[in-house]
Each structure stands twice: as structure tokens, then as C-alpha cells.
Amino acid sequence: MPSDLSPLWISLKVAAIATLITLCLGLAIAHWMLSYKGRWKALLEGVLIAPLVLPPTVVGFLLLMLLGKSGAVGQLLPPALSIVFTWYAAILTGIVVAFPLMYKTALGAFEQIAPTLLQAARTLGASELKIFWRITLPLALPGIVAGATLAFACALGEFGATLMLAGNIPGETQTIPMAIYFAVEAGDNQAAWFWSGVILGISLLGLTVVNGWLAKMTDRKGGFWKGGIWKGGFWRIFWNKCDDFGLNPPLQHSTLKAQNSSKITDSQLTVEIQKRLLGFSLDVSFNTEGQPLGVLGASGAGKSLLLRCIAGIETPDSGQIVLNGRVLFDAEKRVNVPSCDRHIALLFQNYALFPHLTAAQNIGFGLPKGLSAIAQRQQIAFHLAAVQLDGLAHRYPHQLSGGQQQRVALARALASQPEAILLDEPLSALDTHLRHQIESQLILSLAAYDGVTLFVTHNLEEAYRVCDKLMVLESGRAIASAPKRNIFENPETVNIARLTGCKNFSRARATTLQSIEATDWGCTLQVLSSIPKNLTQVGIRAHHLKFLETVSATKSSQSINVFRCWLSTTRETPHRMTLYLKLHSPSLNPKDYHLQAEVFKEKWVQLKDLPQPWSIELDPQQLMLMTEETSLNL
């Protein structure tokens, strides 16, 4: 064992300081590069990771040429501030060589965070600083710890660049790698073995401790965020004490209702925006007029994009967004209020719960500023009770079912007391039974909410039950906006009827003032409503077809639009049967049919044993007279 242990202390000091500085620089630059979209990004990326691919001696030579007495920076420094051949130079080379490892690891950790989590935090009113400390940094911590470990090991073992810039001065700049090199050069293998064992032991010990800690934190039973430093209180150094939320018993419902009320008189959202993407254009104009608005449309119609524009996640190309008289976006006036200041909560399809926070902490994240710790606990308890999750306050998202996660997300959105709440297909990920339960909970919660509500869905029944007014989107444009009964009972165009579930269409033309010819069905139909001048189509919903008991009913003077039909094929669901029917003559094959009829299985039991042909009535009151062209009813 050598008598002089200074290389050990110098190495540990240099590696520790270099790692600390590298950690701060790596996090800051990686976070900045994550959002930087400039034209020089590729070049900057290359410069930042260049020390990772350059030989250490080249890095040392470049630093020496830069900081030496004749270097560009060295000439500007007085002799007293020169760092060449000092232990500060060893720290500098450790930073330069270890930085790429820290930077790339931190950048990769940041990139792994789901963007919806950050977007959700912004819509809850969180500042960028709060998002970094409470969301980005905690979720990226495993990668950051791994990067810091690699940076420490790299700085501890750095040799070539350090020798070039700091030299080998025993007791001042001689680190363990240098002690090994010069011990071998002097033929002192015993000292070389000793220092090799020391640096190998330090490296293995550090890696073992870190890997063991990460493995413990990522235990599947508890999850990375279940225990350790988070539960033990370390993170509260950086944030408020009430994050643990030792929940007090909730106050009486009436008391908290009064505390939580922020009633907005005549709440109103006016939107008139255009947003162009590659191969798609969103051009929508509407006014909620104080009513919950359901946005209905097929996949790809632009529903989610519309909500993202309103919430401030996406920026429209032109137009205006006004909420309760407050301009949130105006392209002409260059107004674009950030998401965190819009007071608009967005409930994402995947709920976007923060995985490292409990249910209570998720709800508390969006609470208004200025509340005392007691008020925060009371508010959280109230919102948990409102969605029937009183006993699950301390559970993490991975410990909750899909329905429970959805309710936590809803409670979190409402807890932020937004002026508007946007729901992006909140029930789409739930099974049928759970969807019914959560839908009932959603209707109750929204009934007590006084702000603007936009409910996006492609489910017809959900839209009909949750909202009184509907807007139908198709290819980025609103093709209808009216009370739900008008949308479903009197669709003006074929596209609207199809999006609202109609399955039976035929080309049509007027023959008299009260009759039309359904060309594809091969029949003449009597109608009760006035016939549009530009009539092109007639339709009837599958559940509106009426089966008569006997063929002789076709001759009844009490019935009109009654025709003979033959069964082509059937399709079964748990409670209903879809019957494919051919009018006037028997079907030749399963694809040879005119109409689809939907009946409950009880009715099917009665029908299936009746001799064919059957008699079917196309009720004049249920016929929909439509056009092909898109028309707006805004």
C-alpha cells in the first residue's frame, strides 16, 4: 500500500465536483434542448456530444490550446487566474468529458415522459417551474441518477485530457489513473495493482448501490414512486408540506359546496378558428351559449385537435377564442394566452394522471393558489367524496382501476375550478359495465358544474345522454349544430344522418307534393313533411321499421308505406337482432337486401316463426328527407 494516498482524495474531490457541475449543466441544457426547434439543433447536438467521440487526448489538446498562455481565453486571463496545471484543470476536463453522458442520459429520460402529463399540468394552471420540479424531474429521476453515476465514473477514470491540461503533479493534480500509469512506467506493479483495485472498488460500489436502489424503487408491487425518498419526505424539501395530504374528515357537503363554488354567470365560449395540418384542415365556428355542448364525429374528424386548440396546447393559424368575455387567442391582435393562464381543464383520453403522485396529490396539484394546508385537505376530501373515492386517497394511479383513474382525473380537473372543462372521449377506454357507472357519475358531476362544458365523443348514445346540444364534425368542419333532438330526428344531410347512426338510405326524387320515389328501394313513399327542393336522399333508422303481423295488413286502409319483405340474413348482439331485408321479392344471397331493421330478441322470437314474406311499414313520420350537400345550422 503506498504511503501517499493523495491520488485517492484528489480523484474523489475532482470527480464529485465535476459530477455536481455536470449534473446541473446537463439537466439545464437537456431540458432546453428538449423544446428547442431551431435550425441549428443538429449542429448544437453535435457540439455537445463531441467529447464523447473524440479521443481524450484530443479534448485535452483543444482545452490546452484554448486556456493555455497563448490560447484565445488564456491570453485574456491574468497569470493568477490561470488554471492550467492545477487541480481546477482536472475538474474542468472531468466536466467536459463526462458532460455528454449526463446530457444524453438526461435528454433521453426527459423524452420518455408522456407529453400529455406535461400538457395536463399546464391546463391545471401550473407554471413551467412547478412542472419541472414536480413532474419532469421526479419522473426522469431514474435516468438522471443513472446519468450522474456514469458521469462520476467517467470523471473518476479520466486520464488523457487531464494529463494534457492538469499534468501529473504529485499531491496537487495526480489522480488515481495517473498514479496507475506512472507506477507501471516506473515498474512499481504493486502500487499499480493497489490503485487499480481502489478505482475498481469505488466504481463497482457506486454502480451496485445505485442499481440496488433503482431496483428497490421500481419494485412492481410498489412502483418506483411508492416508497423511498418520495414517501420518506425527501422531496418535500422542494415543495410544500401538505403534499402528504393527511386528510382531515371532510366538511359537510353544503359547507364545502359553498367554498368550492365559483359560479360564472352566463358562462360562454366563442370559438372561430382555423388550423391547417399536412393533409387536414380544421375550420370551426361555434358558441356554447351557456349550454353543455357535445362534439360528435368519427375518428379523424378533428375533435381532439379542436380541444387542444381551445386549451392552448395547439396554436390555431387564424381566428379567435373568447371565454366569458376574456380573449384567449386572437391571431390578428397577436394574443395567445398560455395554457396555464386560460383556466381551462382538459380531461385526456388516457386520463394523464401523474404516476408518482397519489390520488389525493393528483387532485391537490391543480388546487388554486393561496389555500392554506387545512383548506387544501378539505378541498381534496370533498372532491374525493364527490367521485366516491373516499378511501383511496393514498393510492397511486397504478393501484387504481380504469374507472377509478377516470374519476380521479375528473375530480382533479374540477378541483382546479376552471372556467371551462373539456372532456376528450373520457369513457372510451372503459368496459361496458364500468362505462355506464362512470357516465352516471359524470352526468352528476357536470350537473353541479357552472362553467362551460365541451364533451367530445364518437359514441352516439353517450352524446345523447350527456349533452342537450350537439355539434357534428366531419373532416374538420362543423356540418351541424343544434339541440340533440333536431340532430337525431331531422338531420339535414346524409353525412349527419350517417354520423348519428342511420343505416338505411336510398336515392330519392319528388313525384308529387306528398310523395317521393325511393329509387334504391324500388318503391313510392308517402311523406308528411314538406319536401326539400334539393331532395336527393331518403332515410329511416333501423329501429323505426315497424313489422306488421300479417301480409293482409298491406291492404289496410289505415296503413301507408307498407311493403312485403323477405329475410336475407341476420346479425346477433347480446340483446338485439339486426335483420337484413329485401323488399318486393325473395333475396338471392346474403348481400342482396334493401333495409336493416333492429329488433329486441323478444320481437325476434315472435318474427322468426312467421311465414315469409313479412309486412313492414316505413312510417311517414320517421322518414328523413335529406340532401347530399353539407349544410350548416349554426
Side-chain angles (χ1 to χ4, degrees):
M1 177 178 176
S3 58
D4 184 9
L5 296 179
S6 61
L8 172 61
W9 311 125
I10 293 173
S11 292
L12 291 176
K13 176 175 64 174
V14 166
I17 297 175
T19 301
L20 180 61
I21 297 175
T22 300
L23 174 64
C24 297
L25 285 176
L27 290 179
I29 296 177
H31 192 258
W32 177 74
M33 286 291 289
L34 187 67
S35 58
Y36 177 67
K37 306 298 181 184
R39 59 187 298 184
W40 303 107
K41 183 170 185 175
L43 178 60
L44 287 174
E45 185 84 9
V47 172
L48 291 172
I49 65 172
L52 189 63
V53 296
L54 291 175
T57 51
V58 174
V59 174
F61 174 75
L62 293 176
L63 290 175
L64 185 61
M65 292 298 99
L66 182 67
L67 300 172
K69 293 182 179 180
S70 58
V73 176
Q75 291 180 354
L76 302 177
L77 297 176
L81 295 180
S82 177
I83 67 170
V84 177
F85 300 121
T86 66
W87 71 279
Y88 299 108
I91 295 175
L92 180 60
T93 56
I95 293 171
V96 172
V97 174
F99 172 82
L101 291 172
M102 185 70 245
Y103 163 73
K104 289 298 292 184
T105 308
L107 183 63
F110 290 152
E111 289 175 338
Q112 293 299 314
I113 299 174
T116 53
L117 296 178
L118 308 182
Q119 294 163 2
R122 294 186 182 101
T123 62
L124 292 169
S127 65
E128 292 301 315
L129 181 61
K130 181 178 179 180
I131 292 172
F132 178 78
W133 279 110
R134 296 206 60 194
I135 306 299
T136 305
L137 191 57
L139 292 179
L141 186 65
I144 292 171
V145 171
T149 304
L150 292 175
F152 178 81
C154 183
L156 185 67
E158 168 51 33
F159 171 72
T162 304
L163 182 61
M164 293 286 291
L165 191 66
N168 179 42
I169 305 174
E172 292 187 26
T173 65
Q174 189 182 64
T175 59
I176 293 178
M178 291 185 193
I180 295 173
Y181 176 78
F182 285 101
V184 172
E185 190 176 59
D188 189 357
N189 290 337
Q190 183 178 2
W193 273 111
F194 173 80
W195 289 121
S196 297
V198 169
I199 199 168
L200 181 62
I202 294 173
S203 299
L204 288 178
L205 178 63
L207 291 173
T208 301
V209 170
V210 170
N211 288 336
W213 180 75
L214 289 175
K216 180 180 178 181
M217 294 299 102
T218 54
D219 183 358
R220 291 184 179 181
K221 294 182 180 179
F224 182 82
W225 314 107
K226 171 76 175 172
I229 61 172
W230 309 103
K231 188 173 182 179
F234 172 82
W235 198 246
R236 286 179 223 139
I237 295 173
F238 299 103
W239 214 255
N240 60 50
K241 297 181 295 182
C242 62
D243 268 3
D244 190 39
F245 295 124
L247 299 179
N248 296 333
L251 299 181
Q252 293 298 319
H253 184 275
S254 58
T255 304
L256 268 176
K257 179 66 177 177
Q259 290 182 5
N260 199 51
S261 176
S262 56
K263 186 174 180 64
I264 303 168
T265 305
D266 297 327
S267 56
Q268 190 175 69
L269 174 66
T270 302
V271 176
E272 184 178 353
I273 57 172
Q274 296 78 41
K275 174 71 174 179
R276 289 172 292 278
L277 302 175
L278 184 63
F280 181 82
S281 178
L282 178 70
D283 188 350
V284 178
S285 177
F286 67 90
N287 189 320
T288 61
E289 299 175 351
Q291 302 178 43
L293 177 65
V295 182
L296 186 65
S299 297
K303 305 185 299 297
S304 296
L305 178 61
L306 171 62
L307 296 193
R308 293 169 67 85
C309 288
I310 296 173
I313 297 172
E314 298 281 351
T315 302
D317 297 317
S318 58
Q320 189 181 64
I321 301 173
V322 181
L323 175 62
N324 298 325
R326 187 165 57 99
V327 178
L328 302 182
F329 175 79
D330 192 315
E332 291 186 359
K333 297 180 181 179
R334 298 181 180 274
V335 175
N336 189 16
V337 177
S339 293
C340 60
D341 296 326
R342 293 198 176 195
H343 305 299
I344 294 178
L346 175 57
L347 186 62
F348 292 84
Q349 292 184 37
N350 62 354
Y351 316 136
L353 295 179
F354 308 127
H356 61 299
L357 300 182
T358 63
Q361 291 169 335
N362 265 279
I363 294 172
F365 185 89
L367 287 175
K369 298 177 181 178
L371 293 178
S372 66
I374 295 177
Q376 288 187 50
R377 296 186 182 106
Q378 292 173 342
Q379 286 287 321
I380 293 166
F382 167 71
H383 287 288
L384 283 168
V387 293
Q388 302 176 18
L389 293 176
D390 310 62
L392 305 180
H394 297 291
R395 290 194 183 182
Y396 289 81
H398 73 275
Q399 296 171 321
L400 299 173
S401 67
Q404 291 168 341
Q405 290 185 42
Q406 195 273 353
R407 283 182 278 168
V408 171
L410 177 61
R412 182 181 66 179
L414 293 173
S416 66
Q417 298 184 12
E419 294 181 36
I421 184 168
L422 314 178
L423 301 107
D424 190 1
E425 302 197 32
L427 310 178
S428 61
L430 305 178
D431 58 57
T432 303
H433 174 70
L434 193 56
R435 181 179 300 175
H436 175 73
Q437 290 182 328
I438 302 304
E439 182 185 300
S440 300
Q441 179 67 58
L442 182 63
I443 293 173
L444 289 174
S445 298
L446 294 181
Y449 174 61
D450 301 315
V452 174
T453 300
L454 262 67
F455 180 83
V456 159
T457 182
H458 63 266
N459 187 292
L460 308 177
E461 296 182 358
E462 283 178 10
Y464 198 88
R465 288 190 294 263
V466 174
C467 301
D468 292 325
K469 185 178 180 181
L470 298 177
M471 179 174 69
V472 181
L473 280 187
E474 183 184 45
S475 300
R477 296 178 180 272
I479 59 176
S481 180
K484 62 184 179 182
R485 293 188 180 275
N486 293 356
I487 293 288
F488 278 86
E489 296 176 7
N490 301 302
E492 296 184 1
T493 69
V494 173
N495 292 338
I496 298 173
R498 185 174 288 112
L499 285 171
T500 55
C502 185
K503 300 174 181 177
N504 298 315
F505 300 97
S506 171
R507 290 170 293 175
R509 65 180 183 88
T511 53
T512 67
L513 292 178
Q514 293 297 319
S515 66
I516 62 173
E517 180 184 357
T519 308
D520 297 326
W521 298 341
C523 60
T524 299
L525 300 171
Q526 301 299 312
V527 297
L528 300 181
S529 58
S530 58
I531 301 174
K533 293 182 180 180
N534 55 349
L535 173 71
T536 60
Q537 296 270 334
V538 62
I540 187 169
R541 298 190 184 276
H543 61 278
H544 284 158
L545 298 179
K546 183 188 294 184
F547 288 90
L548 305 181
E549 292 186 2
T550 63
V551 176
S552 61
T554 60
K555 302 177 181 179
S556 171
S557 60
Q558 301 297 321
S559 301
I560 58 176
N561 298 343
V562 178
F563 306 96
R564 296 190 303 171
C565 66
W566 281 259
L567 182 64
S568 174
T569 187
T570 63
R571 183 170 296 171
E572 184 177 9
T573 63
H575 306 291
R576 290 176 178 264
M577 293 291 295
T578 300
L579 313 180
Y580 296 83
L581 306 172
K582 174 75 178 295
L583 300 179
H584 317 306
S585 62
S587 172
L588 300 178
N589 57 69
K591 296 184 179 180
D592 180 25
Y593 64 89
H594 291 118
L595 298 166
Q596 296 182 46
E598 289 184 357
V599 298
F600 285 108
K601 287 192 172 180
E602 292 80 358
K603 180 66 174 179
W604 168 242
V605 171
Q606 300 172 7
L607 278 174
K608 65 180 182 178
D609 293 329
L610 293 177
Q612 298 185 41
W614 298 331
S615 291
I616 193 167
E617 180 183 1
L618 307 184
D619 189 345
Q621 294 182 342
Q622 304 296 346
L623 292 176
M624 299 180 293
L625 308 180
M626 302 165 292
T627 64
E628 287 281 8
E629 295 79 13
T630 297
S631 64
L632 296 179
N633 180 24
L634 298 173

